[in-house]
Structures are given as C-alpha cells and as structure tokens.
Amino acid sequence: MKTLVLGIGNPILSDDGAGIFACRMLKDAISGSCEFEDVDVEEGSVGGLILLDHILGYDSVIIIDAIKTENGKVGDIYKLGMDDFVNTLHTSSPHDVNFATAIEIGKKSMPESMPEQIVIYGIEVDRVDVFSENVTPEVREAIPRVVEMVVRDLKEAKRREQ
Amino acid sequence: MAEKQKRITISPITRLEGHGKIEIFLNDDGNVDDAFFQVVELRGFEEFCKGRPIEEMPRLTTRLCGVCPWAHHIASTKCLDNVFHVKPTETARKLRELGYAAHMAHSHLIHIYALGAAPDLLIGPTAPPEKRNVVGVLEAAGKLDPSYPGVVINGRAAAQRIQDIIGGKTIHPVTGLPGGLSKGITEEQRKEIEELSKVLVDFAKFTEQLVVDEVVLKNKDYVDLITSDTYMLNTYYMGLVDDNNNVTFYDGTVRVVDPNGKEFVRFGEDNNQYLDHITEHVEPWSYLKFPYLKNVGWKGLVAGEDSGIYRVAPLARLNAADGMATPIAQEQYKKMYEAFGGKPVHNTLAMHWARIIENTYASELCLKLAEDESITDSNVRNIPTEKPTEGVGIVEAPRGTLFHHYVADENGLVKEANLIVATGNNNAAMCMDVKGSAQKLIKNWEVNEGLLNMVEMAFRAYDPCLACATHTLPGQTPLEVNIYDSKKRLYKRLSQNI
C-alpha cells in the first residue's frame, strides 16, 4: 500500500509550521526502515487543488496540519477522517478551493487515482502571525506525540495488509 | 493523550481574522465619507531575514506565501543577481522564464475556474453562493462539453508539472541562485515540457472561447455588468514591458501609463530607481500601506490624473503595455480592447478578461521556450565573483508588480530587506472600489442589503492576498463590514461566512 504523509504549514511562521516539524521528525524516525519503504513523507505550504495534485496515486494519505478551534487547548491533537471534515489552517485558502472541494473534484474527474483513505491530524496552535522558527512550548510538546500516533497508524495499516 | 475524534467538538475559526474586513466611515448626513479594506499583516519578515546569509533569500521568501511561491522565488533570485553583480546565463534566463510562465498559467487558471470569472459568470452572479463554486462550474461547463471537467484538471496539472521539472522541488522551488540555476533540464524533460505546453495552449484557447465568447459576449446582462460604471476607476497603471512594450512577467522595464493611456514613466531594477517613483502613504485605519506615485502625489483615495494612485495586476499590465508578444494572446488582446472601444479600460471587472488573455500568453510562452532546443544547454550558471552589496529584483506576480530590495553587510548577511507586494500596490484601488460600492448602497443612514455582494465582486476581481489562508469556500468570501458614524462610533455591522 503506497502511503503519503504530508506535513503542511509554514516553517518560519511560529506555530504555523507544526505539521512540517512533525513530518521532519517522522522522516528521521522512519527513514532507513524497510518496514516503511512504501511510505513517502513530504512537506509543503500549500492547500486546495495543489494538495490534490500531490495526493493522486497514493492508496492512503495522512496530513498533519495546524488548526485553530474555538476555545481550543493549545497542544491538543485531533484526528479527523473524511467524514468529519473540517478546515485546518492550510486545507483552505481564499486563492484556491478548500480541501473538501478539491477531493470532490478529484473523485469526479479521476476516481481511479484517488486515495482510498485520507486522515488529517490537526495540532491546536497559538501563534501564527509572527515570522519565527520557534514554536510555543505546548506545540513543541505535541509534535512527538503526533509523530507517535502516525507511526502507530502506519504500523497498524501494515499489520492489516499482511 | 488528547486525541479527539468527534466533529462536534471542533469549530475552526478564521485564521488571524484574515478575512476581508472593511471599515466604512459615514458623515453627519449618514452618507459615505471613506472606506478602508483591512488586511491583517504577517509581522516581522524583514526582521526575520536580518543577519541571515543573503543567498538564502530565494528559499526563505517562498515561505512568505503558499499561493505564489514562484513569484517570490524569482523576484528574490533576480534581486540576488543584482546584489552579487552577476548576470544569469542565457539558458538560465530562459529556464527561469519558462518555469515562471508555467506558474502564471497555473495561478491564473485556478482563479479563472475556481474563484473569479467562471463562478461569477458561468453560474451567474445572482445564483446562490453554494452554486457559485468550482464544482458548479464543472457541472455547468460539462453540459457545454462533456470532456470539460477532465480538461480543467489536466490543464492545471500540466502547468504544475512544468513547475516541478524546473523548480527542483515538488512544492516550493529551490533552484534559483545568483547568476543562474542549480540545475538544467534534459532533452527528455524538454520534450515533456513541450507536450505539456501544447496542452496548456489548447486549454487556454478553450478557456477564452468558453468564458468570453460563449458566456459573456452572448449574454447582454454580463456585458452590461462588466462595462457598467459600478467599478470604474480611472487610475494610473503599472506593468513590466519588454523592448517592444509588450506584456512580460519575468523581466523587463516597469512602465506606468496615465489614466489616458499615455506613458508617464519607465524604470528598471538599476540604482534602486523604484524608490524615485514609488512611496508609501500610511493611514491609521489600515495595517497595509498605500503605495503611490511619488511624482504625482497623494491626494487621498481619489482617482484621476492628479492622484498618484496606480493599479497593478492583469488589467493594469495590459493597459500599461502596447500588446502581447505571442500571436493568439495578441488577437485576444485586440478583441478585448475593441469590445470596450479603446484603451485604457478602467472597468475593474475586466480584470477577469485580462487574466484569461494573460493565461494564453503564459501558455504560448511556455511552448515557445520549450521548442527552443538550446534550452537543454548545461551552462546554467555564472558563478559570482564580486562581493554582495545591494540590489533590486522586480517581476510581475500573478496579482501584480512585485519588488524585492536587499542590502548585504560586509559579511554577506542581510542588513536590510524591503518588499512591496502586489496586493499592497492595489490597496488604494481596492479601497476605492469598496467606497464606490458603499456610496451606491448607503444613502442617508439606509444600508442596502446588496452591499456585501457588491464588495465581494470587487474582491474577486483583484484576488487580494489576505495574508495567506482563511477558511473560505469559493463563492463564500468571509467578509465583515463595519460602518461608523462621524464620531467614529460603530453604527452597523454586516458579515457573511464568518
């Protein structure tokens, strides 16, 4: 099963880069392991239809992104499936369609290339409007936890496949 | 461990309040005095850059914006050419221009099909917002041509693939270096780009026929809407032109024409000339500064020859130039100006039409450059030999003229960085179009319900960059309008999709 883990966000905009930092940590954790040789780990500061371009051809996709929710607790992690779709920070943009729309277009126009499963991990963040490579402590602490969750998902998928 | 799986617990809020926020000020009679369009700014980029090796800038600046990373990458790379006093090789120049043309096509296609022309025009400006999105466009267009949805995806994907081949990284380009590029392309890649470019050109022709011929020109209501004086500003226009005064995106001379279409000034990247011609006005009610033509002067938010306000972006570029450098785009250019009865066109909604013509030019340019077999030459870099000092890089971003200006210290680290971005250039004009709509729809304390729709249409035309992502669906621009009385007390608040 070909799997993509995609971290999205801006690595120089404080907590906005949470998804990217998680992906970098994941890459270090699983690189060289033959158990995960069919897993690609990518990063980008994109959304909408451009996201669609990058997930085509994979069987399974895990996206890690920053999210801000009303009354959210910084550092909380949400696991979201396609059924409870919400917009994380980068799955939508005023210059592009949102991710749910992009998925709908993908399913209509090229169903054979669409991943069967898409999961989004959202990390509740705080500061996203100041250019900095530092993240707030709660977010820093959440990053290894989300990586652990993703590794668990990948292992679980592998087990089911065998 | 805080792992939550219930949708019910999650209610994402708008990032940075990054939605369009409009402040309207009334006079004592309850009529509009002024209107400002607010953008929440991402702070501290210049500070963030200071003290970093200057050659890192083309990679840092791609992170400024997830929408147009190529525009910043190329402006920054050109800026470094000047900072290091080195010219790119001929091949590097062609490759940069090719990758950049693909980016322009890609960006314009998203806007045309997902956000602007097609949703408003193909579905109809009066259709409910939930229909006016790209899915609605695909359905409506599918009735005209069953192969259409696939064509749209393929057209965009072709532009994306060309960027990937040249950019050197899947999402953010990393290839630009002072004096050239980090890598060239193979003959096999050139052939692939040539084929992809043919797809783009065909798709561009289809797009112009669909939107302009089939939808707009055959429908009197649309023609009336676009040519009406609702959004009409007779401003100065700015755009890059080549030696023949044709529109160009990657490199050229900045040309400014006056509201009558007469050349007012032209300048290049040398000697920081932009500083002689552009300066910025600050308003207490807006985060974003208002660039204007220094030698005309700031007269407030007013149009006309005596006001230094200028516009950028597709329509401005076409107005500032004498034509298009490729044949199909040139035909489309003539057709647009004939339809409007001459130049310059001041109607803001013609921005959509101009964008379609620019997409054709970008596609034809990709093909022309890809057909040039010398583009696979391996000589893609001149190594800089001089110490870095100071320089300016100017490109036409999809949303208008983009300026990067850096100063290096004696160790080659960034000492100063100044950026004027496209949306900034159009700030004053956007405020004026908002003000124009407000003046029509607010009379003697009466606020017409159509205000939000009118404001949204102006927004769509300019496609302003609202400091990156907000949580929005096409056709559902998040907007908030605050109306104040003459004592600056909040009189009324209107909002949608927030």
Short mmCIF file of all heavy atoms in Angstrom, two decimals, chain B residues 425-449:
data_model
loop_
_atom_site.label_atom_id
_atom_site.label_comp_id
_atom_site.label_asym_id
_atom_site.label_seq_id
_atom_site.Cartn_x
_atom_site.Cartn_y
_atom_site.Cartn_z
N ASN B 425 0.25 47.14 -3.72
CA ASN B 425 0.12 48.12 -4.80
C ASN B 425 -1.33 48.45 -5.10
O ASN B 425 -1.66 49.57 -5.46
CB ASN B 425 0.74 47.57 -6.09
CG ASN B 425 2.26 47.55 -6.04
OD1 ASN B 425 2.88 48.55 -5.72
ND2 ASN B 425 2.85 46.42 -6.35
N ASN B 426 -2.19 47.46 -4.98
CA ASN B 426 -3.61 47.67 -5.32
C ASN B 426 -4.45 48.10 -4.13
O ASN B 426 -5.67 48.24 -4.26
CB ASN B 426 -4.20 46.37 -5.91
CG ASN B 426 -4.02 46.29 -7.42
OD1 ASN B 426 -3.85 47.32 -8.08
ND2 ASN B 426 -4.06 45.10 -7.95
N ASN B 427 -3.83 48.30 -3.00
CA ASN B 427 -4.58 48.60 -1.78
C ASN B 427 -5.51 49.79 -1.94
O ASN B 427 -6.71 49.73 -1.65
CB ASN B 427 -3.58 48.83 -0.63
CG ASN B 427 -4.26 48.97 0.71
OD1 ASN B 427 -5.41 48.59 0.87
ND2 ASN B 427 -3.55 49.53 1.68
N ALA B 428 -4.97 50.89 -2.45
CA ALA B 428 -5.78 52.11 -2.56
C ALA B 428 -6.96 51.88 -3.51
O ALA B 428 -8.10 52.26 -3.22
CB ALA B 428 -4.92 53.26 -3.07
N ALA B 429 -6.69 51.21 -4.64
CA ALA B 429 -7.76 50.98 -5.62
C ALA B 429 -8.85 50.09 -5.05
O ALA B 429 -10.05 50.33 -5.28
CB ALA B 429 -7.17 50.36 -6.89
N MET B 430 -8.45 49.08 -4.29
CA MET B 430 -9.47 48.21 -3.69
C MET B 430 -10.34 49.01 -2.73
O MET B 430 -11.56 48.85 -2.70
CB MET B 430 -8.80 47.05 -2.95
CG MET B 430 -8.33 45.97 -3.90
SD MET B 430 -7.77 44.48 -3.04
CE MET B 430 -6.23 45.03 -2.39
N CYS B 431 -9.71 49.86 -1.94
CA CYS B 431 -10.48 50.71 -1.02
C CYS B 431 -11.45 51.58 -1.80
O CYS B 431 -12.59 51.79 -1.38
CB CYS B 431 -9.54 51.60 -0.20
SG CYS B 431 -8.59 50.68 1.01
N MET B 432 -10.99 52.09 -2.95
CA MET B 432 -11.85 52.98 -3.74
C MET B 432 -13.03 52.24 -4.35
O MET B 432 -14.14 52.77 -4.41
CB MET B 432 -11.03 53.68 -4.82
CG MET B 432 -10.19 54.80 -4.24
SD MET B 432 -8.70 55.12 -5.19
CE MET B 432 -9.38 55.67 -6.72
N ASP B 433 -12.79 51.00 -4.81
CA ASP B 433 -13.91 50.23 -5.34
C ASP B 433 -14.90 49.88 -4.22
O ASP B 433 -16.10 49.85 -4.44
CB ASP B 433 -13.42 48.96 -6.05
CG ASP B 433 -13.21 49.19 -7.55
OD1 ASP B 433 -13.91 50.05 -8.11
OD2 ASP B 433 -12.35 48.52 -8.13
N VAL B 434 -14.37 49.62 -3.03
CA VAL B 434 -15.24 49.37 -1.89
C VAL B 434 -16.03 50.64 -1.58
O VAL B 434 -17.25 50.60 -1.37
CB VAL B 434 -14.42 48.93 -0.66
CG1 VAL B 434 -15.28 48.94 0.60
CG2 VAL B 434 -13.84 47.53 -0.87
N LYS B 435 -15.34 51.76 -1.60
CA LYS B 435 -16.00 53.03 -1.32
C LYS B 435 -17.09 53.32 -2.36
O LYS B 435 -18.20 53.77 -2.02
CB LYS B 435 -14.96 54.16 -1.31
CG LYS B 435 -15.50 55.52 -0.94
CD LYS B 435 -14.37 56.54 -0.91
CE LYS B 435 -14.90 57.95 -0.77
NZ LYS B 435 -13.80 58.94 -0.76
N GLY B 436 -16.77 53.04 -3.62
CA GLY B 436 -17.75 53.26 -4.69
C GLY B 436 -19.01 52.43 -4.47
O GLY B 436 -20.13 52.92 -4.59
N SER B 437 -18.81 51.14 -4.11
CA SER B 437 -19.99 50.30 -3.85
C SER B 437 -20.75 50.84 -2.66
O SER B 437 -21.99 50.88 -2.68
CB SER B 437 -19.58 48.85 -3.51
OG SER B 437 -18.45 48.45 -4.19
N ALA B 438 -20.02 51.24 -1.64
CA ALA B 438 -20.67 51.73 -0.42
C ALA B 438 -21.47 53.00 -0.71
O ALA B 438 -22.59 53.17 -0.23
CB ALA B 438 -19.63 51.98 0.66
N GLN B 439 -20.91 53.87 -1.53
CA GLN B 439 -21.62 55.13 -1.83
C GLN B 439 -22.92 54.87 -2.57
O GLN B 439 -23.90 55.59 -2.39
CB GLN B 439 -20.72 56.06 -2.65
CG GLN B 439 -19.74 56.80 -1.76
CD GLN B 439 -18.72 57.59 -2.55
OE1 GLN B 439 -18.35 57.23 -3.65
NE2 GLN B 439 -18.23 58.68 -1.95
N LYS B 440 -22.91 53.81 -3.41
CA LYS B 440 -24.14 53.49 -4.14
C LYS B 440 -25.20 52.87 -3.23
O LYS B 440 -26.38 53.02 -3.46
CB LYS B 440 -23.84 52.53 -5.29
CG LYS B 440 -23.17 53.22 -6.46
CD LYS B 440 -23.31 52.39 -7.72
CE LYS B 440 -22.92 53.20 -8.94
NZ LYS B 440 -21.51 53.62 -8.93
N LEU B 441 -24.74 52.15 -2.22
CA LEU B 441 -25.68 51.34 -1.44
C LEU B 441 -25.93 51.84 -0.02
O LEU B 441 -26.69 51.24 0.73
CB LEU B 441 -25.20 49.89 -1.41
CG LEU B 441 -25.19 49.22 -2.80
CD1 LEU B 441 -24.57 47.86 -2.76
CD2 LEU B 441 -26.59 49.14 -3.39
N ILE B 442 -25.28 52.91 0.36
CA ILE B 442 -25.59 53.52 1.66
C ILE B 442 -26.02 54.97 1.40
O ILE B 442 -25.24 55.77 0.90
CB ILE B 442 -24.39 53.52 2.62
CG1 ILE B 442 -23.89 52.08 2.85
CG2 ILE B 442 -24.74 54.17 3.97
CD1 ILE B 442 -22.65 51.98 3.73
N LYS B 443 -27.29 55.27 1.68
CA LYS B 443 -27.80 56.63 1.47
C LYS B 443 -28.55 57.07 2.71
O LYS B 443 -29.50 56.38 3.13
CB LYS B 443 -28.77 56.68 0.27
CG LYS B 443 -28.15 56.30 -1.06
CD LYS B 443 -27.62 57.52 -1.79
CE LYS B 443 -27.13 57.10 -3.18
NZ LYS B 443 -25.97 57.77 -3.66
N ASN B 444 -28.16 58.18 3.26
CA ASN B 444 -28.88 58.77 4.40
C ASN B 444 -29.21 57.74 5.48
O ASN B 444 -30.36 57.54 5.84
CB ASN B 444 -30.18 59.46 3.94
CG ASN B 444 -29.91 60.46 2.83
OD1 ASN B 444 -28.88 61.15 2.86
ND2 ASN B 444 -30.79 60.52 1.85
N TRP B 445 -28.20 57.10 5.95
CA TRP B 445 -28.28 56.10 7.04
C TRP B 445 -28.93 54.79 6.63
O TRP B 445 -29.02 53.87 7.42
CB TRP B 445 -29.03 56.66 8.28
CG TRP B 445 -28.42 57.93 8.81
CD1 TRP B 445 -28.90 59.19 8.66
CD2 TRP B 445 -27.21 58.04 9.55
NE1 TRP B 445 -28.07 60.10 9.27
CE2 TRP B 445 -27.02 59.42 9.82
CE3 TRP B 445 -26.25 57.14 10.01
CZ2 TRP B 445 -25.93 59.91 10.54
CZ3 TRP B 445 -25.16 57.61 10.73
CH2 TRP B 445 -25.01 58.99 10.98
N GLU B 446 -29.40 54.68 5.38
CA GLU B 446 -30.00 53.43 4.92
C GLU B 446 -28.91 52.56 4.29
O GLU B 446 -28.24 52.97 3.34
CB GLU B 446 -31.07 53.72 3.85
CG GLU B 446 -32.37 54.27 4.39
CD GLU B 446 -33.15 53.24 5.20
OE1 GLU B 446 -33.21 52.08 4.77
OE2 GLU B 446 -33.68 53.62 6.27
N VAL B 447 -28.75 51.33 4.80
CA VAL B 447 -27.73 50.42 4.27
C VAL B 447 -28.42 49.33 3.46
O VAL B 447 -29.16 48.51 4.01
CB VAL B 447 -26.89 49.79 5.40
CG1 VAL B 447 -25.83 48.87 4.81
CG2 VAL B 447 -26.25 50.88 6.25
N ASN B 448 -28.19 49.32 2.14
CA ASN B 448 -28.80 48.32 1.27
C ASN B 448 -28.17 46.94 1.51
O ASN B 448 -26.96 46.82 1.66
CB ASN B 448 -28.60 48.74 -0.19
CG ASN B 448 -29.34 47.85 -1.15
OD1 ASN B 448 -29.06 46.66 -1.23
ND2 ASN B 448 -30.28 48.42 -1.86
N GLU B 449 -29.01 45.92 1.50
CA GLU B 449 -28.53 44.56 1.77
C GLU B 449 -27.53 44.04 0.74
O GLU B 449 -26.76 43.13 0.99
CB GLU B 449 -29.72 43.59 1.82
CG GLU B 449 -30.51 43.68 3.09
CD GLU B 449 -31.71 42.75 3.07
OE1 GLU B 449 -31.85 42.01 2.08
OE2 GLU B 449 -32.47 42.77 4.04
#
